[in-house]
Amino acid sequence: MELLIYPRYEEMSAVAARQIADLINAKPDAVLGLATGSTPLGVYRELVRMHLEEGLDFSEVRTFNLDEYVGLGPQDRQSYHCFMHEHLFQHVNLTPRNTHIPSGTTRNYPAFCAWYERRIEDCGGIDLQILGIGGDGHIAFNEPGSSLASRTRLKTLARETIEDNARFFDRKEDVPIYAITMGVGTILEARHCLLLASGTSKAHPIAQAVEGPVTAMCTASALQLHPHVTVYLDEAAAGALVSHEHHRWIAANRPNAPRTDTWWQNTVDAVEYAGDTGVHQR
Ligand code: GLP
């Protein structure tokens, strides 16, 4: 896991968005896994800016959203369909047939979920998956107790999640109690995961996910098993990490971080040489 801590949400969002843009520029038909919630909004704003000002081209990009509320149609204001349209899709040149969001109104959930999984596979798998984290440590809508091998399916939302997400609805009673969500196993198959968290309310779940045991009671902790995860945090979300200073040191001294002293240069040479011979020394 690579942890990057930024002073402010805006800075963290801009760097994460740049990483996504670099992927799109390198692979124009990249497959992105998209998340909803307030946390990725800064990333979406920045991607829209890059599209408008720098010509970032989404025309061949394919997207898959993590989840949708059961019972809400694409026109419902609180649906994730509507969210994605409002915050990203309508502002960039994504091709509509290349965007996928689970259906909250299908008549056959098992068949739809199986199709969604097949569709991801047919597109070659997800290159980069954006993730937020719930107050109870969930990723997508994989609530505590979800199998760490789970696939796309129908899930009952935890009470804490219903309360957390009530802010997006007129009344708490309007929050659906079921959702269709990619599974933890589905998410772990993405080639690169970006976990974003901002604010003090995320400090505890982030500490559990990063420093706690891998457990189904905090499904974000399953990311510890993934070979390529970047965690983007602002200072507030990093506030409960015991290993805060350790992660700062590691991030500042990444092999690709700019350094000038000889000790560092020798180390890099050794790493490069090891790479040449195929031997991993670190
Ligand atoms: C919902 C979504 C998650 C998201 C979480 C946190 O539960 N299903 O994907 O990570 O909300 O949302 P926020 O970023 O608004 O805190």
Side-chain angles (χ1 to χ4, degrees):
M1 259 187 188
E2 180 178 42
L3 246 97
L4 303 173
I5 303 167
Y6 294 89
R8 283 174 306 278
Y9 171 75
E10 291 72 22
E11 205 175 333
M12 156 195 136
S13 303
V15 182
R18 179 56 63 191
Q19 181 150 34
I20 299 165
D22 286 348
L23 169 69
I24 297 173
N25 286 327
K27 184 179 178 188
D29 64 347
V31 181
L32 301 182
L34 301 178
T36 52
S38 47
T39 311
L41 285 176
V43 167
Y44 295 151
R45 269 196 295 273
E46 193 55 19
L47 289 175
V48 170
R49 187 198 63 73
M50 287 190 245
H51 169 67
L52 298 174
E53 293 176 12
E54 299 172 14
L56 181 63
D57 181 15
F58 289 82
S59 59
E60 291 178 53
V61 170
R62 281 87 48 87
T63 69
F64 287 88
N65 265 78
L66 287 168
D67 45 18
E68 178 58 288
Y69 289 111
V70 164
L72 300 190
Q75 311 300 335
D76 276 297
R77 213 163 39 85
Q78 288 85 5
S79 72
Y80 286 166
H81 279 76
C82 201
F83 177 99
M84 290 313 302
H85 183 72
E86 186 182 337
H87 296 292
L88 184 66
F89 294 173
Q90 68 171 333
H91 305 293
V92 297
N93 64 334
L94 274 160
T95 307
R97 72 182 147 76
N98 288 345
T99 64
H100 307 81
I101 303 179
S103 166
T105 52
T106 175
R107 270 178 291 158
N108 187 339
Y109 282 97
F112 181 85
C113 294
W115 174 82
Y116 204 71
E117 290 273 340
R118 269 200 315 278
R119 187 82 192 112
I120 293 174
E121 215 179 300
D122 290 347
C123 287
I126 292 172
D127 290 304
L128 186 150
Q129 176 66 60
I130 302 171
L131 295 164
I133 186 167
D136 59 8
H138 70 230
I139 43 175
F141 270 133
N142 292 289
E143 297 289 23
S146 293
S147 161
L148 300 186
S150 50
R151 312 300 307 187
T152 303
R153 70 212 183 288
L154 198 71
K155 273 300 286 179
T156 304
L157 302 186
R159 283 194 200 171
E160 183 178 345
T161 301
I162 293 174
E163 272 155 30
D164 284 352
N165 292 357
R167 67 189 193 278
F168 297 111
F169 292 77
D170 294 335
R171 301 174 312 155
K172 186 177 140 194
E173 298 71 54
D174 295 341
V175 185
I177 67 164
Y178 301 107
I180 182 167
T181 179
M182 273 189 209
V184 180
T186 320
I187 293 167
L188 291 181
E189 280 172 13
R191 284 183 268 281
H192 183 188
C193 292
L194 296 191
L195 176 63
L196 309 166
S198 159
T200 49
S201 66
K202 298 299 168 69
H204 181 63
I206 281 293
Q208 278 198 311
V210 172
E211 295 174 338
V214 174
T215 165
M217 294 312 287
C218 170
T219 53
S221 68
L223 294 170
Q224 292 177 33
L225 299 171
H226 191 284
H228 193 188
V229 176
T230 311
V231 185
Y232 284 95
L233 305 175
D234 63 11
E235 283 290 353
L241 287 172
V242 176
S243 55
H244 194 285
E245 280 315 309
H246 161 77
H247 286 294
R248 271 193 187 292
W249 160 259
I250 296 288
N253 293 292
R254 280 177 294 162
N256 55 356
R259 290 288 296 253
T260 48
D261 59 276
T262 11
W263 166 81
W264 177 253
Q265 195 49 51
N266 290 341
T267 314
V268 170
D269 289 347
V271 170
E272 282 167 2
Y273 180 70
D276 286 348
T277 56
V279 179
H280 290 288
Q281 295 193 342
R282 295 169 160 213

